[in-house]
């Protein structure tokens, strides 16, 4: 059997184990170990499991993940999501669908401090969904906009997916973060426009809220002023090179503690909860990362990435079509596998193909994050949908999926826009060079 | 309270304290370094290594705590459709396999740690700290994870027997 065939069998076994309910990190580690054993020898396999986990956990770049998780958990504990929602509501709440638009806006703002889509959806959803329902908003719109808005958490920097993509492809995380800003803003505006148009056409799905005075607007802004400054500091700091992404994570965590302490919103219990939450999520993410690194060693040894790149090149397909096919693979896989595992399992295979065709790795990173966003809201895995169904327990899952559908269409349209105009993602990173 | 319950509670508390302390140290080192570098042109020597090694303690103990809360990522799309009995069977088999994987990781880590402990010059680049204690911290984390997995295996076996 050729190395390529063994690699393909390994990937299929991982998928099989995943669907049977074997924890993702453990299954990738097991298959990676057995694969290297088979392809090389037991000593090499043992060396991989002895060294790769420590390399992962002692990587300076990887430490950005727990630091940003801590920042988001502190904000979550201190209820900052509610303040951001109030600010967004004061700005656009009086428009048709205003509360849903404010929810998207608040998600966009919270995304700038959180690296996780789920954290964004939970934080904003907990405050926004009851509010929207009290204003008689359509349940599908109310839950759908939170689930879709939550996905902004992984596009607007800091983003957990950008960090992982950057590390496994050796692409600059800072440039990836910066590349996500313009697409993040455009997608936020596209989501808001979608809600506005739908609410104009069908006013009963999102009635406008009462107008707010300038004083109310200023008070709402004052409540969030420090956290907005912190968000700006983190983003500008990364863009102008004051600090690395890991340092930005530390600044964000420390800044969120200071801000919430000044505001007297962080109790000792809240701090402890934030630590516990961070530890739990760190363990969850790193077990998958460790398994993926072992698996990726096996995939690299199986020569799948190189051979696949050669096969694709030999077909002579137009590069855009190849990217389109890869996106289709992600859309299908995203319906079945957890997003982080999908990225870790597939990027080592597809990245050489895409860069070999001459595409920019930063641009491809943004495309991958967008496709991942879609995966997070498509059935049956769509993690954000499950999170939202936990917040709005009486709303059936199919209603949430129905509410999400228009947002998925917008996201797909935006992916096409980004393929047509790569500069939307590459303009800001270009300024850093 | 049984000995095992006490051990479980103690291990969980220790894991959280170690992880929390590591997070605070990592965050503190980063902030002090950035402030020192930008405002006083005095970066803290070895910050990158302090943060990386803090991460070793944080992650080593976090993976065990995550298992304690049974929060490692699992896809239940097919699994949840299996009959209850089959689910229990698969859970037991996968816990066995997971124990094997973690034993392997721990053994590998221990072996490399031992090599670092006995090899002169197996230190970090900047602070010249011996890597062995950090390798053993990872091994300890794996042992804690193994312990929680083993506990869950016993519970799963018990459930299978009852059915």
């Amino acid at each position: 059997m050729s190395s390529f065939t063994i690699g393909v069998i390994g990937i299929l076994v991982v998928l099989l184990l995943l669907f049977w309910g074997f924890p993702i990190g453990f299954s990738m580690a097991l298959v990676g170990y057995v694969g290297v054993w088979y392809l090389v020898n037991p000593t090499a396999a043992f060396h991989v499991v002895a060294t790769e986990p420590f390399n992962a956990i002692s990587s300076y770049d990887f430490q950005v993940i727990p630091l940003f998780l801590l920042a988001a958990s502190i904000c979550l504990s201190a209820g900052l999501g509610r303040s951001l929602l109030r600010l967004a509501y004061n700005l656009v709440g009086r428009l048709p669908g205003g509360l849903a638009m404010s929810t998207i806006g608040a998600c966009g703002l919270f995304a700038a401090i959180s690296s996780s889509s789920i954290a964004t959806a939970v934080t904003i959803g907990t405050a926004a969904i009851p509010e929207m329902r009290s204003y008689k908003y359509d349940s599908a719109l109310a839950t759908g906009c939170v689930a879709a808005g939550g996905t902004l958490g992984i596009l607007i920097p800091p983003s957990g997916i950008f960090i992982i993509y950057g590390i496994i492809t050796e692409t600059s995380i800072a440039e990836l973060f910066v590349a996500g800003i313009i697409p993040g803003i455009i997608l936020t505006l596209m989501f808001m426009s979608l809600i506005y148009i739908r609410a104009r056409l069908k006013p009963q799905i999102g009635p406008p809220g009462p107008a707010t005075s300038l004083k109310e607007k200023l008070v709402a802004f004052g409540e969030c002023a420090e956290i907005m400054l912190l968000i700006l500091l983190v983003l500008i700091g990364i863009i102008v090179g004051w600090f690395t992404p890991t340092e930005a994570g530390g600044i964000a965590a420390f800044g969120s503690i200071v801000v919430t302490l000044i505001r007297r919103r962080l109790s000792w219990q809240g701090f402890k909860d934030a630590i516990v939450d961070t530890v739990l999520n760190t363990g969850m993410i790193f077990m998958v990362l460790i398994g993926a690194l072992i698996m990726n060693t096996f995939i690299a040894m199986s020569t799948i990435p190189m051979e696949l790149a050669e096969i694709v090149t030999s077909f002579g397909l137009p590069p855009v079509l190849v990217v389109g096919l890869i996106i289709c693979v992600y859309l299908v896989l995203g319906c079945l596998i957890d997003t982080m595992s999908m990225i870790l399992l597939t990027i080592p295979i597809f990245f050489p193909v895409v860069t070999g065709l001459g595409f920019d790795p930063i641009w491809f990173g943004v495309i991958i994050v967008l496709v991942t966003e879609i995966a997070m809201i498509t059935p049956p895995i769509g993690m954000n949908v499950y999170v939202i169904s936990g917040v709005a327990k009486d709303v059936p899952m199919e209603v949430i999926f129905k509410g999400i559908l228009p947002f998925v269409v917008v996201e797909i349209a935006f992916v096409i826009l980004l393929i047509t105009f790569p500069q939307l993602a590459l303009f800001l990173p270009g300024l850093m060079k | 309270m049984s000995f095992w319950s006490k051990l479980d509670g103690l291990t969980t508390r220790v894991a959280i304290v170690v992880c929390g302390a590591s997070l605070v140290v990592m965050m503190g080192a980063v902030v002090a370094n950035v402030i020192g570098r930008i405002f006083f042109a005095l970066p803290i020597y070895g910050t990158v290594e302090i943060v990386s090694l803090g991460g070793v303690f944080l992650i080593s103990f976090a993976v065990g705590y995550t298992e304690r809360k049974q929060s490692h990522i699992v896809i239940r799309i097919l699994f949840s459709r299996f009959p209850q009995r089959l689910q229990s069977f698969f859970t037991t088999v996968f816990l066995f396999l997971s124990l094997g994987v973690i034993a392997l990781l721990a053994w590998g880590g221990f072996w490399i740690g031992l090599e670092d402990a006995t090899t002169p010059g197996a230190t970090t680049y900047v602070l010249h700290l011996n890597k062995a204690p950090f390798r053993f911290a990872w091994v300890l984390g794996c042992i804690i994870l193994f312990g929680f997995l083993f506990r869950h295996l016993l519970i799963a076996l018990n459930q299978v027997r009852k059915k």
Side-chain angles (χ1 to χ4, degrees), chain A residues 48-84:
Chain A
V48 171
V49 292
T51 53
E52 283 297 338
F54 191 80
N55 290 345
I57 66 173
S58 62
S59 156
Y60 178 71
D61 289 336
F62 272 141
Q63 306 314 331
V64 63
I65 297 173
L67 290 171
F68 271 119
L69 281 175
L70 179 62
S73 296
I74 295 281
C75 293
L76 190 70
S77 281
L80 274 173
R82 213 168 274 277
S83 304
L84 290 173

Side-chain angles (χ1 to χ4, degrees), chain A residues 18-22 24 26 33 46 50 53-54 57-58 60 63 242 247 254 276 279-280 283-284 286-287 380, chain B residues 19 30-31 33 37 52 55 59 65-66 71-75 77-79 94 98 102 104 107-108 112 135 138:
Chain A
L18 297 189
F19 291 132
W20 276 351
F22 193 18
I24 294 167
F26 300 125
Y33 173 74
F46 184 69
F54 191 80
I57 66 173
S58 62
Y60 178 71
Q63 306 314 331
W242 287 340
E247 288 173 340
F254 181 75
V276 169
V279 171
L280 191 74
M284 210 188 284
F286 273 87
M287 199 59 236
Chain B
C19 291
V30 162
V31 172
N33 182 51
R37 188 182 65 217
S52 305
I59 299 155
Y65 179 76
T66 306
S71 293
H72 282 298
I73 303 172
V74 177
I75 295 169
I77 176 172
L78 264 185
F79 184 79
F94 289 151
S98 301
I102 296 306
L104 203 61
W107 177 237
I112 293 270
R135 301 253 188 211
W138 165 241

